[in-house]
Amino acid sequence: MKNVRLFKLTASMALAATMGACTNSSSPEDDFFEFTSSSKGDSSSSSVDVSACKTVKESLATPTKFNVANDSDTSWTFSWEYTRNSDRPETGFRIEYLDLDATNTDWKSEGTTNAEVTLYKLQGKSKVGKYYRVVAIDDCGRSDGSNRLQINENGSTSVSTATDADLGVPTNFAITDTLGENLWLVSWTYSGDKDSYVLQRFIESKNAWEKFLTIDDRTALETVIDTAAAGKYIRVAAVYEGKVSTYSDKIKMPNAVVKSSTTSSNPSGGGKSSCVPAAPTNLKAMRIAPSVWRLSWDYKRTSTCSESGFMVQSLDMKNPVGWKDLGESAVDVKLFNLDGAKFRGMSFRVSAKNGDKKSEWTDPVEVTTETKYSTEYNFVTPTLKASVYKVAGGFEMMLVVDKNFPNEAMVSSSYTESLKYEFRWGGSAPEKMDTITVDKTSVTMKFTDKEKLCSSFGQVRTIWKDSNKNTDVSEWSNPVGSLTVYSNGLTDAEKLCPYVYKDESSSSSAE
């Protein structure tokens, strides 16, 4: 049985290593490119002997060490290892994908390979943003899934050790509070691993469940439901590294309350009104892009007077000649975006209106570059890992972003023009280090001198450019490299840098 392993090298080296491992075949291209689109392992096939399958007791072995090499921004090579169960040999392998943005979050077939072919070529921009795994198949079924990996939105990849082990089930899913008209708080309990949660609603006309809400906060055990799911059954599941748990029991949401087009406070429907609406409270400003801010506020309507909308005013602190009307938001819309660097350093306030009457103004808030980003956007310091290894003609150090990637809210925001990483590396002060800005999650430095290799380290930070061409950068990550003081996060499998650097600060204090 032939096993093909793809090591974590540059794409060209990985391809060369893989091709070299396939030389036992009649032609190297046979194993590397011979893929089929037939649906192997489908028990509905006319060639399946159903009675024979009922007598099968052995299980198909599970593929292991599922890995990926980046050939380009739109091309990847999957590889895996497989030890056949001789009592139930596979007839092939199926690559499966999971799209968490789809309305039906199920694993689907991407393609298949023949028996013993443990490589698969994936191509196309449409393949990004999805999770992948591999299963062994025969005419009677399939194996458990391998570990999974993700092709990120920028074309980079991340490999997980998570398998198809059961994640558990969210329980105690229930409506726990009514927050206002057409607003309900639902909560649940869950103790397993998770990165996020996904909620589905049942659409009777389609007789199908579809996703309507994703919660990126892994600590959340509650969320607010509005008219998007009013009158429908809903359920929740946990998501961990591409694996979706079993869904909770379903609950039925109340029907939406339909508002009348007129109010008793203004029966004539004219521009005049005899009542003053309640004032908004708790005005806050959050940053949602480098030069875009979002105002939000709370509002509790009184039973005797309804608002017809909200007014927003601005005050230029550099030229404070007075408050100016900036814009309006509709009934129930308690958000207002400030798009552009021109708003930086200005103050804002909000009032409810009803015809020609206005409530009192909120306390003002100021927006600056120090305004915190909304928790919806994961704009934080990335973490870094490094590995050193020997190559033809010298040595290489690879720096790879390990965690704290930009999340889907940042990537898909209409205010985002680009998201990139700036790497810097060297062995001296930051101002003397080399830098490079790329849209990939890794860079590789080449060395001819092992001493320089073993005295180097690197850092990374995220650069976010918005649609106004303004940028913001995260903090630099902690240094990682072959210097002993920075070796946390370093992989040196070949023991190229076995030096022990003396901690001069501790030795001098001991003297």
Side-chain angles (χ1 to χ4, degrees), residues 152-156 288-290 373 377-380 382 401 404-423 437-441 460-467 470-474:
N152 299 310
E153 292 290 347
N154 59 6
S156 65
I288 60 173
Y373 281 93
Y377 301 90
N378 190 46
F379 190 42
V380 295
V401 178
N404 292 346
F405 305 97
N407 64 0
E408 177 63 23
M410 295 173 64
V411 173
S412 61
S413 171
S414 60
Y415 295 115
T416 296
E417 178 174 301
S418 67
L419 287 160
K420 297 185 178 183
Y421 291 106
E422 182 180 12
F423 291 86
T437 300
V438 296
D439 55 8
K440 297 179 179 293
T441 57
V460 67
R461 65 181 179 181
T462 304
I463 302 178
W464 187 0
K465 179 187 285 189
D466 66 20
S467 55
N470 292 299
T471 61
D472 194 12
V473 296
S474 70

Side-chain angles (χ1 to χ4, degrees), residues 17-39:
T18 305
M19 295 297 288
C22 295
T23 55
N24 290 334
S25 63
S26 59
S27 169
E29 286 82 0
D30 287 346
D31 273 349
F32 197 74
F33 293 109
E34 185 180 353
F35 311 126
T36 68
S37 59
S38 61
S39 183

